[in-house]
Amino acid sequence: MPGFGLGTWQNEDPEACAESVRTALETGYRHVDTAQIYGNEAAVGRGIAAADVDREDVFLATKVWIDELAHEDVLESTEESLEKLGTEYVDLLYVHWPARTYDPEETLSAFEELCDAGKTERIGVSNFEPTHIETAQSVLDTPVFANQIEIHPLLQQRELREFCADAGIEVVAYSPLARGNVFDVDVLSAIADDRGVSEAQVSLAWLRAKGVTPIPKATGADHIRDNWTSLELELSDDEIERIDGIDTERRFVDPDFGPRSW
């Protein structure tokens, strides 16, 4: 999985979404993330098709929504996702949340069927806490490849990151810029000023230093390229320690159906 990607949450205008995906891929991105609930899978597919990049070179991920997690619904809704995306398979298929119609045995057996059929190459989970992951691991024969979670300097998820690392599970960060709030964090601003970069680039570089794959949302070409430029930034040990020391735990995504354990 490429260690940096494009998030497409709230990228709802079809033409703008397709153009942002095309721009990102032609900038150098090779990881594109979407979801059924985003309502933009068709636009994402058009953006991939329009880019001067082979489909085989794109790591494409989507997520099955919480209303579609019954066994047959997983199978049917994923087929619909593939049709919208204009592809025969996705590289990674996530359970979006362990909520509503999610039943570990029923849901995950459908995911394994899709994996066996070549409809997805990997099985992922999103917004899973350790107890959810342990249950999934006990049900699946196929390894859990990734857990996509909210993570940024204001929500560092230390224990969950350590759990995933020990389990050999990749961590993918959504909202890696804390919904824009990284621009108001003094530690990040000081490092950004010292290095002549943006707070966004500092946050993304910190995540990469932690072995996390960030997928920042961006629609405009300038933001897409600014985020991509963060790959050139390597933080010093001292800078990483200063960010590690941010003493806060602020969650920006907390729906009423989210895990109560957090």
Side-chain angles (χ1 to χ4, degrees), residues 5 28 36 48 118 121 123 133 135 161 175 186 203 207 209 240:
Q36 293 174 351
I48 293 172
E121 295 193 343
I123 295 174
I133 295 172
T135 300
R161 278 193 284 119
S175 297
D186 290 344
S203 181
L207 286 164
I240 292 170

Side-chain angles (χ1 to χ4, degrees), residues 11 19 29 33 70 92 155 159 174 187-188 203 209 221 230 244 255:
N11 196 345
E19 179 61 16
Y29 290 68
D33 182 89
L92 177 58
L155 183 68
E159 292 181 4
Y174 71 76
V187 171
L188 301 179
S203 181
S230 71
D244 288 350

Side-chain angles (χ1 to χ4, degrees), residues 11 30-31 51 88 156 195-196 198 220 233:
N11 196 345
R30 291 296 181 268
H31 180 172
E88 295 181 355
Q156 299 195 8
R195 300 295 293 270
S198 68
L233 177 62

Side-chain angles (χ1 to χ4, degrees), residues 156 187 191 195 202 205-206 208-210 233-246:
Q156 299 195 8
V187 171
I191 294 172
R195 300 295 293 270
V202 173
W206 175 79
R208 288 191 299 104
K210 295 299 178 181
L233 177 62
E234 295 293 335
L235 298 175
S236 68
D237 291 343
D238 175 69
E239 289 167 333
I240 292 170
E241 289 178 9
R242 288 162 62 190
I243 298 171
D244 288 350
I246 295 173

Side-chain angles (χ1 to χ4, degrees), residues 126-168:
S126 184
N127 301 296
F128 274 43
E129 293 288 283
T131 182
H132 302 114
I133 295 172
E134 288 173 341
T135 300
Q137 289 173 318
S138 72
V139 170
L140 286 165
D141 292 325
T142 304
V144 175
F145 178 77
N147 187 19
Q148 185 177 133
I149 57 175
E150 179 183 353
I151 177 171
H152 43 71
L154 299 177
L155 183 68
Q156 299 195 8
Q157 302 269 32
R158 295 176 182 87
E159 292 181 4
L160 186 50
R161 278 193 284 119
E162 183 177 350
F163 177 90
C164 289
D166 289 343

